[in-house]
Amino acid sequence: MARLAQTAGLTDVQQEILSTVRDFVDKEIIPVATELEHRDEYPQQIVDGLKELGLFGLMIPEEYGGLGESLLTYALCVEEIARGWMSVSGIINTHFIVAYMLKQHGTQEQKDHFLPRMAAGDIRGAFSMSEPGLGSDVSAITSKAVKDGDEYVLNGQKMWLTNGGTSSLVAVLVRSDEGHPEGTAPHKSMTTFLVEKEPGFGEVRPGLTIPGKIDKMGYKGVDTTELIMDGLRIPADRVLGGVTGRGFYQMMDGVEVGRVNVAARGCGVAQRAFELGVQYAQQRHTFGKAIAQHQAIQFKLAEMATKVEAAHAMMVNAARKKDSGQRNDLEAGMAKYLASEYCKEVVEDAFRIHGGYGFSKEYEIERLYREAPMLLIGEGTAEIQKMIIGRRLLEEYRFQG
């Protein structure tokens, strides 16, 4: 077991789950990840393996057929999976955000209908906030739902759906002005709809089109797509929680879980980069000795290991805060910001240690170098995290003058 990024106070069950996942990553993911990534191929065999391990039901309550585990257990599993291949952690992240939102905010009928099949991995979740023209400004959403009898008609274009093609359930945030007078704050007139669809591309149900995969620099294998709604009819009982106008709060609650997940991914990728760097430094020789014996390289390794350790500690803290039922937007924002920035730096240092070989597609570090930047923007950019952190600090440390 590696010395870095250990977590104190885990139960026997948590340790057993993590040991199983780490074993799976070492045997089933690391040996094939780079080859699949270069082909941009969906890792179906890996996903089937995760399904068999019960990982799609990790945080879903036992009454719905899940394992009923904590956010901490989930985050530590994500860290292990991202250590193997970050794209695989993306496949389960969006699924978990939707399952979490259903568990926290869904009607009893919605929970009974979706959660057992999500726990089994038979329904795969995706969620959709962003649009082509708005980036991080969620309040500027233009996609719209209009009530028509017992249904809503949805129109608009969404962007950056992880699992957009492979998912069969998408939680979609749109504007719904019904019942909200003119002048209502934008975030109070948004609703989350639970949209069921066929997996695949093209028109996946009447009024709903997934055009195809967006070609990306990294984060390959997992499909990232647009979603176009043109007269998409959704029954009123598929409004998350059964009441309109609560979508923004539901999504933000889900995103707090997502930010812990992105922090965990940053931790996992940084750990793998450190492993690759420290191994290579002991194998490569210059001036008559292993480069690990040169002080310049030892300084790099020291900095890398310290960053891995610090990011892991903050990620664990953010997960434990959410598990305790407390608000964790400050901790999740800090963890996501620090882990993604440190991940980029640790990956770059490992890349430098590899010298010219780091630029070769034969070496795993080349893949990590293209994957790390996604974490700087996923689930809210570093700048958005700093805004959240700054506002929360001003609430906590309000000047009493």
Side-chain angles (χ1 to χ4, degrees):
M1 192 55 145
R3 165 69 185 83
L4 289 180
Q6 297 299 296
T7 312
L10 297 180
T11 65
D12 290 347
V13 171
Q14 286 174 312
Q15 286 174 345
E16 193 180 328
I17 290 170
L18 283 174
S19 169
T20 305
V21 171
R22 177 173 267 260
D23 199 41
F24 181 83
V25 168
D26 287 340
K27 289 178 182 166
E28 307 293 335
I29 298 182
I30 288 175
V32 299
T34 297
E35 187 188 337
L36 289 173
E37 197 270 352
H38 287 165
R39 292 206 301 261
D40 197 4
E41 185 177 318
Y42 186 76
Q44 189 60 56
Q45 210 170 332
I46 293 171
V47 170
D48 291 343
L50 294 176
K51 196 171 156 180
E52 264 179 57
L53 290 178
L55 231 62
F56 283 101
L58 191 63
M59 265 178 75
I60 293 172
E62 290 180 18
E63 65 196 276
Y64 300 107
L67 297 176
E69 272 297 330
S70 62
L71 177 59
L72 176 63
T73 310
Y74 169 58
L76 294 173
C77 286
V78 164
E79 183 179 40
E80 292 291 356
I81 291 166
R83 191 184 132 260
W85 184 13
M86 193 184 76
S87 293
V88 179
S89 61
I91 290 168
I92 56 175
N93 176 39
T94 54
H95 176 81
F96 265 102
I97 291 177
V98 178
Y100 173 81
M101 285 165 61
L102 270 161
K103 181 183 82 169
Q104 295 296 106
H105 306 288
T107 64
Q108 194 57 54
E109 184 274 331
Q110 288 167 354
K111 290 187 226 185
D112 292 341
H113 181 75
F114 290 113
L115 288 179
R117 287 185 292 158
M118 291 185 84
D122 296 333
I123 286 183
R124 233 44 88 51
F127 80 107
S128 176
M129 284 196 295
S130 191
E131 294 184 0
L134 61 86
S136 297
D137 185 8
V138 179
S139 65
I141 277 175
T142 58
S143 296
K144 199 157 182 174
V146 177
K147 187 89 187 278
D148 182 22
D150 292 334
E151 294 181 316
Y152 287 85
V153 180
L154 277 58
N155 287 287
Q157 186 178 0
K158 309 297 278 185
M159 193 71 180
W160 304 120
L161 269 82
T162 301
N163 289 331
T166 43
S167 60
S168 41
L169 173 66
V170 187
V172 182
L173 185 66
V174 299
R175 189 168 300 294
S176 59
D177 296 329
E178 164 232 5
H180 306 287
E182 196 69 36
T184 301
H187 63 279
K188 289 184 178 173
S189 61
M190 291 187 190
T191 299
T192 304
F193 285 87
L194 300 167
V195 178
E196 294 172 87
K197 70 173 188 67
E198 287 298 315
F201 299 99
E203 191 169 23
V204 289
R205 73 176 271 178
L208 181 65
T209 301
I210 307 287
K213 290 201 301 188
I214 296 166
D215 198 16
K216 309 182 297 282
M217 171 175 86
Y219 197 37
K220 292 176 180 285
V222 59
D223 49 283
T224 306
T225 72
E226 295 174 73
L227 178 148
I228 298 165
M229 301 173 288
D230 182 10
L232 171 64
R233 303 189 79 87
I234 302 291
D237 64 6
R238 287 295 169 258
V239 169
L240 180 61
V243 181
T244 60
R246 294 185 184 167
F248 181 80
Y249 304 102
Q250 293 162 346
M251 282 277 179
M252 290 304 111
D253 189 23
V255 164
E256 279 182 22
V257 170
R259 285 187 178 142
V260 173
N261 169 286
V262 172
R265 286 197 238 180
C267 293
V269 174
Q271 275 181 53
R272 185 61 185 159
F274 175 79
E275 287 171 12
L276 294 171
V278 78
Q279 280 168 19
Y280 186 82
Q282 292 170 81
Q283 292 161 2
R284 175 88 163 100
H285 286 71
T286 62
F287 307 105
K289 58 183 176 182
I291 63 171
Q293 298 306 312
H294 295 297
Q295 194 179 54
I297 300 298
Q298 287 179 14
F299 281 3
K300 271 198 198 310
L301 294 172
E303 288 171 12
M304 290 159 74
T306 304
K307 288 171 181 175
V308 166
E309 194 75 356
H312 176 84
M314 287 196 80
M315 179 271 289
V316 167
N317 179 51
R320 283 188 159 141
K321 188 95 188 266
K322 186 85 169 169
D323 282 333
S324 72
Q326 298 176 75
R327 180 177 177 182
N328 88 329
D329 54 343
L330 177 65
E331 291 77 10
M334 283 180 165
K336 192 272 171 187
Y337 168 57
L338 189 88
S340 56
E341 294 289 340
Y342 275 180
C343 174
K344 173 185 66 89
E345 292 167 16
V346 171
V347 167
E348 182 163 336
D349 277 341
F351 175 82
R352 287 170 188 259
I353 286 170
H354 279 74
Y357 288 108
F359 218 59
S360 163
K361 280 187 176 285
E362 281 181 45
Y363 282 75
E364 197 179 329
I365 192 65
E366 180 271 342
R367 167 169 65 80
L368 269 55
Y369 196 78
R370 286 182 291 102
E371 286 177 341
M374 199 288 286
L375 298 170
L376 300 171
I377 49 175
E379 308 290 1
T381 61
E383 289 70 27
I384 288 290
Q385 305 312 317
K386 287 192 266 191
M387 276 171 56
I388 292 165
I389 294 163
R391 284 172 187 165
R392 288 287 285 115
L393 289 172
L394 289 170
E395 282 175 31
E396 297 284 341
Y397 290 88
R398 181 161 287 137
F399 176 61
Q400 306 293 331

